[in-house]
Amino acid sequence: MNHFELRDGELFCEDTPLSRIAGSVGTPVYVYSSATLERHFQVLRSAFVEAGLKGEDGGPPLIAYAVKANPNLAVLATLARMGAGADTVSEGEIRRALAAGIPPGRIVFSGAGKREEEIRFALETGISEINVESEPELRLIARVALSLGRPARLAVRVNPDVAAGGHAKITTGGAGNKFGVSFSEAERLYAEAAADPWLQPVGLTCHIGSQISSLAPLEAAFRRMRELVERLRARGLPVLMLDLGGGLGVPYFNQPDPPSPADYAAMVARVTDGLGVGLAFEPGRVIAANAGVLLAQVLHIHERPEGRRFVVLDAAMNDLIRPAMYDAYHDIRPVRPRQGPSVIADVVGPVCETGDTFTRDRELPPLESGDLVAFMSAGAYGASMSSEYNSRLMAPEVLVRGRDWAIVRPRPTYEEMLAREARPPWLD
Ligand code: LLP
């Protein structure tokens, strides 16, 4: 459920009309709903608690929100107040999580290629765990921990060889993917780490893909993770926690309905029953996607003689790359729907690439130049993947709370964009 709905013929975010935000901030602009973020977090946590799942400390499992989905500080701070942790993949994300008030003890550091400085920063900050993705990385962490005189708490990322996800580019759990190590390697690395005084292996982690629409691959992967926990324990190695990653899909209109948080939690409870490990999760999309929209304005309706109709927006692939990159479907809704018959059109942006197409041959409600439209479910991997391609300014971000709203990332000025670059002395 989200808090974007039509009221009196106009699309609102909570108690704020979207047209008011667009009128004041301009378009394109990302708009997020605090109530939706909070609700999604709460629904997940309740599902985990009701299924009897526990975290390492015996309380509810750690929900380490995947910062990459939407790293805006205001979004992170909203979730921090709910008790969220953070799954991070760079020093930048760790710094964001800390700046938003997420305690280091709830931050995990994942990612297939961590730099030495980043590992040092993570250890100095005292984050909860580093998810080790490879043998060379384990060696590097051991070296940094030794040089700092601080033991590193680790979870070994296993690649369970179960591929899942809404698109090949967001599938991570196949043996051919770069992420994590095999089961046998994990067993060896875990034992090696346990023998190193500067390494503290405390558990295992996996993340098999994103936008997963069925529990079956998750369950298969988690069962294999359980077997590994049992094998490690049989060798006398302590395993205190399992971080089961993220990946739960959201309903993007034309996709199969994803599993509910309650069904997901019940499955995890079944698989981990009696195992006595603390659990952690790294959800991103399921918290943020439906908590945000990208607002854009129709610049032109362009009809080509061959009969194709193009709705040209002021938002482009640099603002929302998911359709170009993953053929992703985002519902496109007029902010003030007009009466009249629907039309078939392509919706495109102004960027100089044919790939700057949000959708083709979509049946759309009537639209005219100047109308505002909202790309729905754009709160995850929207702003966070945006760029300045074609020297377009990054879309600003707005957070709504009831009738209140605030710009949480302003649109930069052209002067700011140019001031970031410098001329080398020989061109002066
Ligand atoms: N944990 C790890 C280690 C991850 O790599 C990811 C996402 C997550 C958690 C969060 O997954 P989620 O719950 O959001 O599915 N840009 C793509 C999605 C890439 C996901 C990458 N990893 C998209 O727009 O669909």
Side-chain angles (χ1 to χ4, degrees):
M1 197 210 126
N2 63 62
H3 295 76
F4 294 91
E5 52 180 29
L6 276 179
R7 282 193 203 166
D8 303 326
E10 159 147 33
L11 199 56
F12 273 63
C13 173
E14 302 188 23
D15 300 321
T16 303
L18 288 173
S19 59
R20 187 176 300 163
I21 296 173
S24 166
V25 185
T27 50
V29 55
Y30 276 95
V31 181
Y32 309 130
S33 153
S34 305
T36 312
L37 288 166
E38 289 169 357
R39 185 188 144 81
H40 289 167
F41 185 84
Q42 185 55 45
V43 164
L44 265 186
R45 182 167 47 198
S46 309
F48 292 155
V49 168
E50 273 158 34
L53 305 182
K54 298 242 169 12
E56 228 188 308
D57 60 3
L62 173 67
I63 302 183
Y65 165 69
V67 171
K68 62 173 83 72
N70 187 327
N72 186 284
L73 285 178
V75 168
L76 296 180
T78 301
L79 295 170
R81 289 213 323 206
M82 306 283 295
D87 167 50
T88 62
V89 291
S90 65
E91 180 170 335
E93 286 193 353
I94 299 175
R95 286 182 184 268
R96 279 182 180 275
L98 293 169
I102 297 179
R106 290 205 198 120
I107 298 177
V108 305
F109 185 21
S110 311
K114 306 179 189 71
R115 299 156 59 93
E116 181 168 343
E117 308 88 89
E118 293 182 303
I119 293 169
R120 179 168 303 118
F121 178 76
L123 290 178
E124 281 172 347
T125 308
I127 66 158
S128 160
E129 111 218 357
I130 300 184
N131 291 342
V132 190
E133 300 242 3
S134 67
E135 179 161 6
E137 188 174 86
L138 184 75
R139 308 253 173 273
L140 177 59
I141 297 170
R143 258 205 335 272
V144 177
L146 169 68
S147 74
L148 288 177
R150 274 179 193 243
R153 262 173 67 93
L154 305 176
V156 175
R157 175 151 176 194
V158 184
N159 183 326
D161 198 12
V162 178
H167 189 276
K169 287 185 187 151
I170 54 173
T171 294
T172 47
N177 297 126
K178 68 182 171 186
F179 302 95
V181 297
S182 67
F183 283 98
S184 55
E185 218 182 339
E187 202 171 325
R188 180 172 62 79
L189 293 184
Y190 204 92
E192 276 181 33
D196 184 322
W198 298 104
L199 298 178
Q200 258 178 30
V202 291
L204 300 170
T205 177
C206 71
H207 170 81
I208 61 172
S210 196
Q211 186 54 20
I212 300 174
S213 54
S214 135
L215 287 180
L218 291 163
E219 180 160 357
F222 298 168
R223 286 201 182 280
R224 294 188 191 175
M225 296 295 285
R226 179 186 177 122
E227 286 162 17
L228 180 57
V229 172
E230 285 164 344
R231 278 205 299 282
L232 291 170
R233 285 184 174 161
R235 294 177 60 171
L237 297 163
V239 184
L240 310 178
M241 56 85 60
L242 263 183
D243 171 348
L244 295 176
L248 209 51
V250 301
Y252 281 113
F253 186 75
N254 67 338
Q255 301 235 340
D257 262 0
S260 71
D263 290 347
Y264 175 79
M267 177 275 283
V268 173
R270 239 181 5 255
V271 174
T272 57
D273 186 37
L275 195 59
V277 285
L279 293 170
F281 299 90
E282 302 172 354
R285 189 189 312 267
V286 76
I287 291 178
N290 284 318
V293 299
L294 171 63
L295 285 184
Q297 190 171 38
V298 177
L299 296 178
H300 313 291
I301 309 283
H302 171 46
E303 299 197 18
R304 306 232 344 148
E306 307 79 40
R308 281 207 98 73
R309 179 189 298 246
F310 294 94
V311 176
V312 186
L313 301 180
D314 63 359
M317 65 192 291
N318 71 297
D319 302 303
L320 178 65
I321 203 166
R322 302 194 67 257
M325 193 149 169
Y326 315 110
D327 299 316
Y329 185 106
H330 286 267
D331 197 10
I332 302 170
R333 295 173 61 183
V335 168
R336 286 194 177 126
R338 298 173 178 278
Q339 298 294 324
S342 59
V343 289
I344 305 286
D346 294 2
V347 180
V348 300
V351 157
C352 307
E353 291 204 28
T354 303
D356 186 22
T357 298
F358 292 113
T359 185
R360 277 174 75 78
D361 293 323
R362 174 91 57 100
E363 185 173 354
L364 293 164
L367 287 171
E368 290 181 16
S369 162
D371 284 1
L372 292 171
V373 294
F375 284 88
M376 308 307 291
S377 313
Y381 307 111
S384 65
M385 294 182 78
S386 63
S387 75
E388 283 180 346
Y389 185 42
N390 275 212
S391 293
R392 292 165 47 81
L393 298 174
M394 298 268 270
E397 298 174 296
V398 164
L399 183 66
V400 173
R401 166 161 232 106
R403 277 176 215 284
D404 294 336
W405 57 274
I407 298 174
V408 293
R409 183 178 76 183
R411 193 188 310 279
T413 63
Y414 287 110
E415 290 70 27
E416 284 165 343
M417 180 171 85
L418 296 180
R420 288 203 314 262
E421 290 163 35
R423 280 161 86 96
W426 63 85
L427 289 179
D428 280 332

